[in-house]
């Protein structure tokens, strides 16, 4: 059974609230009661960057690739919104809580890529 913990922040909100924002590593902490009963939790960090300007998103795509997120690029447009929109998305599995996830978000923030940054942390629980 999966329990989803999700939080999406725009890049500007992340920059403004860096000291007070919830970080992925905070969400990756195991629940002590479940751990005491033998449940093992692992984590998946999903990161998405969406925007209208691909060239402004390229530095963040490189950061994700360098950090093992295997980013995929998708392009969308439709009759209601004919302008071309881009999304770069990647994910990485973590066996335990890791500040590496926080470091990746900080690197994306410092890169100041165009678009909106969103991320989610999802836990996967294995029964004993």
């Amino acid at each position: 059974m999966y329990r989803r913990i999700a939080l999406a922040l725009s890049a500007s909100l992340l920059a403004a609230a860096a000291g007070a924002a919830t970080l992925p590593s905070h969400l990756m902490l195991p629940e002590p009661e479940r751990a005491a009963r033998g449940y093992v939790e692992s984590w998946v960090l999903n990161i998405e960057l969406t925007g209208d300007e691909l060239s402004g998103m390229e530095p963040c795509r490189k950061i994700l690739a360098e950090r093992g997120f295997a980013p995929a690029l998708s392009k969308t447009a439709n009759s209601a919104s004919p302008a071309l929109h881009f999304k770069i998305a990647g994910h990485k599995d973590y066996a335990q809580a890791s500040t590496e996830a926080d470091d990746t978000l900080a690197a994306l923030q410092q890169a100041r890529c165009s678009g909106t940054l969103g991320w989610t942390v999802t836990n996967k629980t294995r029964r004993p």
Side-chain angles (χ1 to χ4, degrees), residues 11-12 15-16 49 53 55-60 63 105-115 117:
S12 60
L49 183 64
E53 185 183 316
S55 61
M57 298 166 62
E58 183 61 21
C60 286
I63 290 169
L105 284 180
L108 293 171
Q109 175 192 359
Q110 290 172 357
R112 298 186 188 266
C113 298
S114 65
L117 175 65

Side-chain angles (χ1 to χ4, degrees), residues 7-11 14-15 18 21-25 27-28 45-48 60 63-64 67 69 94 98-112 117-121:
L7 178 62
L9 296 171
S10 70
L14 184 62
T22 300
L23 297 172
S25 63
L27 300 174
M28 292 178 177
L45 174 61
N46 296 292
I47 296 179
E48 288 187 1
C60 286
I63 290 169
L64 290 174
R67 294 173 183 253
F69 281 79
Y94 292 90
S98 173
T99 58
E100 178 187 311
D102 303 343
D103 296 341
T104 299
L105 284 180
L108 293 171
Q109 175 192 359
Q110 290 172 357
R112 298 186 188 266
L117 175 65
W119 57 272
T120 60
V121 170

